[in-house]
């Protein structure tokens, strides 16, 4: 039997972040905060031992870094205002309406500056630092998602606005200061796991906003292989590749060294999350797989943190074979 999970009611305009959080996010956040606090205590203790001037110098350095980044953020925002098109009810009414709707659904009412530009690294970027909240979207990518239906666009917007709602950038400034002190090697082993789990959470928030598993997975496929081949990606092939990644020590180590999870792991995480919060939609996805795909999915379900989050007696229910 699965544990009792509150399902998102499409009539309820609020997405519950407690349901959307990845099972590992809280523990990894606690570890990251504890490690950052320890590093700051060490830095302050070392400066105090070196003398009052060293301690004052460290404090001045931290303040200078903060002020410098505040100025950079303001200049960057001003540059975007002159080189990109800001999303408003006049410039992009449809896109603006979707953004407002997602903000209402997530109960997030702080101002966000959304811009559309011709070329954006990674298709979409978001910045939340020192009161500056900027979402930058590549115009062609946004147009493709709009053409594919509102669910795809809602997944994308829910993903990034969910980042703001869940306050995933709350440690950024502390990390920047330590990075400026050349302590990045001591930070990454504790911060990167949190960032990866936070990205899973953002995907899950986006999925709840989109309320469409296939559209949500389609956006991840689009980001992985491009728009031309995204519709041709066979789910069973992705599941097989995810199993190979899970068995490969080198692939797992490669993920440990990066801020974001592997794309195939993002894909599988969203499928296993759907099995927890929207069983009916998961069953439809499972029914569309080949027999080999269903067997691979069972393996991945049992390995997923969402399965571990359930009771120990939970087992996935295989769908009947298609005629």
């Amino acid at each position: 039997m699965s544990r009792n999970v509150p399902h998102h009611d499409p009539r309820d305009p609020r997405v519950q972040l407690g349901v959307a959080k990845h099972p590992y996010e809280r523990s990894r956040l606690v570890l990251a905060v504890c490690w950052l606090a320890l590093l700051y205590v060490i830095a302050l203790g070392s400066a105090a031992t070196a003398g009052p001037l060293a301690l004052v110098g460290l404090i001045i350095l931290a303040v200078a870094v903060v002020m410098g980044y505040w100025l950079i953020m303001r200049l960057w925002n001003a540059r975007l205002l002159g080189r990109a098109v800001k999303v408003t009810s006049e410039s992009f009414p449809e896109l603006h309406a979707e953004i407002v709707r997602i903000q209402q659904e997530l109960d997030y009412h702080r101002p966000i500056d959304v811009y559309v530009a011709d070329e954006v690294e990674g298709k979409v970027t978001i910045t939340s630092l020192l009161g500056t909240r900027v979402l930058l979207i590549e115009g062609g990518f946004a147009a493709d998602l709009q053409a594919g239906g509102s669910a795809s666009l809602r997944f994308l917007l829910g993903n990034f606005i969910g980042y703001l709602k869940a306050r995933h950038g709350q440690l950024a400034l502390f990390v920047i200061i330590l990075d400026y002190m050349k302590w990045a090697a001591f930070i990454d082993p504790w911060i990167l796991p949190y960032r990866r789990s936070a990205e899973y959470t953002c995907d899950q928030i986006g999925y709840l906003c989109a309320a469409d598993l296939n559209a949500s997975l389609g956006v991840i496929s689009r980001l992985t292989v491009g728009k031309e081949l995204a519709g041709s990606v066979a789910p069973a092939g992705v599941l097989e590749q995810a199993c190979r990644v899970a068995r490969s020590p080198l692939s797992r180590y490669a993920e440990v060294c990066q801020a974001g999870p592997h794309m195939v792991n993002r894909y599988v995480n969203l499928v296993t999350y759907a099995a927890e919060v929207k069983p009916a939609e998961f069953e439809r996805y499972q029914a569309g797989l080949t027999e080999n795909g269903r067997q691979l999915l069972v393996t991945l379900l049992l390995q997923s943190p969402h399965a571990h989050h359930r009771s120990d007696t939970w087992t996935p229910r295989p769908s009947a074979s298609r005629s």
Side-chain angles (χ1 to χ4, degrees):
M1 298 236 345
S2 64
R3 68 186 180 90
N4 216 357
V5 179
H7 292 190
H8 174 57
D9 186 346
R11 296 170 298 178
D12 184 356
R14 305 291 172 83
V15 169
Q16 299 297 320
L17 291 186
V19 178
K21 278 191 177 181
H22 189 267
Y24 292 165
E25 182 184 332
R26 186 182 301 276
S27 60
R28 289 177 176 178
L29 174 61
V30 170
L31 288 174
V33 169
C34 290
W35 183 246
L36 283 176
L38 178 61
L39 288 179
Y40 272 96
V41 169
I42 292 173
L44 291 172
S46 299
T49 302
L53 289 178
L55 181 59
V56 172
L58 181 62
I59 294 173
I60 292 175
L61 174 63
V63 172
V65 170
V66 172
M67 295 303 296
Y69 269 90
W70 179 85
L71 181 59
I72 290 171
M73 289 295 100
R74 292 298 184 270
L75 290 174
W76 182 59
N77 204 1
R79 181 175 180 270
L80 285 176
L81 191 60
R83 297 176 63 90
V85 177
K86 187 173 183 178
V87 176
T88 67
S89 58
E90 299 295 330
S91 59
F92 293 103
E94 293 182 9
L95 182 56
H96 181 265
E98 285 292 353
I99 292 170
V100 171
R101 182 180 175 187
I102 294 297
Q103 285 190 263
Q104 291 175 346
E105 212 169 307
L106 294 177
D107 194 24
Y108 185 82
H109 304 291
R110 293 186 177 182
I112 308 172
D113 293 328
V114 183
Y115 292 92
V116 176
D118 181 37
E119 293 184 2
V120 177
E121 184 179 355
K123 307 299 182 184
V124 187
T125 62
I126 191 163
T127 302
S128 177
L129 189 65
L130 298 172
T132 300
R133 291 173 290 274
V134 177
L135 177 60
L136 183 59
I137 308 175
E138 186 175 286
F141 183 59
D144 290 339
L145 295 184
Q146 280 185 314
S150 62
S152 299
L153 183 61
R154 286 172 55 76
F155 170 78
L156 179 77
L157 295 175
N159 186 307
F160 283 89
I161 297 175
Y163 170 91
L164 298 174
K165 174 65 177 180
R167 300 179 63 195
H168 286 151
Q170 59 190 318
L171 301 180
L173 189 59
F174 300 101
V175 173
I176 286 171
I177 294 172
L178 290 174
D179 186 50
Y180 194 83
M181 296 167 59
K182 310 300 182 184
W183 284 23
F186 302 103
I187 305 171
D188 288 348
W190 303 92
I191 293 296
L192 296 185
Y194 167 63
R195 288 180 174 172
R196 290 193 296 271
S197 61
E199 190 158 349
Y200 285 136
T201 294
C202 290
D203 284 341
Q204 293 167 189
I205 294 173
Y207 168 51
L208 292 180
C209 291
D212 188 323
L213 179 59
N214 288 330
S216 302
L217 296 175
V219 176
I220 295 177
S221 298
R222 169 72 170 77
L223 290 170
T224 307
V225 302
K227 65 177 181 179
E228 290 81 5
L229 291 177
S232 304
V233 175
V238 178
L239 299 178
E240 182 179 10
Q241 189 171 337
C243 286
R244 293 181 62 186
V245 167
R247 293 193 301 265
S248 170
L250 286 178
S251 293
R252 298 179 71 174
Y253 174 75
E255 186 177 57
V256 166
C257 300
Q258 61 191 33
H262 291 320
M263 281 294 190
V264 291
N265 287 342
R266 286 180 63 185
Y267 184 101
V268 170
N269 176 74
L270 207 56
V271 173
T272 57
Y273 177 67
E276 182 181 20
V277 299
K278 292 181 178 288
E281 191 167 20
F282 168 77
E283 291 290 345
R284 289 194 294 271
Y285 171 85
Q286 189 180 32
L289 296 173
T290 61
E291 184 60 35
N292 180 55
R294 283 192 287 273
Q295 293 175 0
L296 293 169
L297 181 57
V298 168
T299 300
L300 292 168
L301 280 166
L302 292 173
Q303 294 174 351
S304 77
H306 297 293
H308 299 159
H309 206 47
R310 298 181 176 94
S311 64
D312 295 335
T313 58
W314 179 86
T315 54
R317 296 176 297 169
S319 298
S321 301
R322 292 178 295 171
S323 57

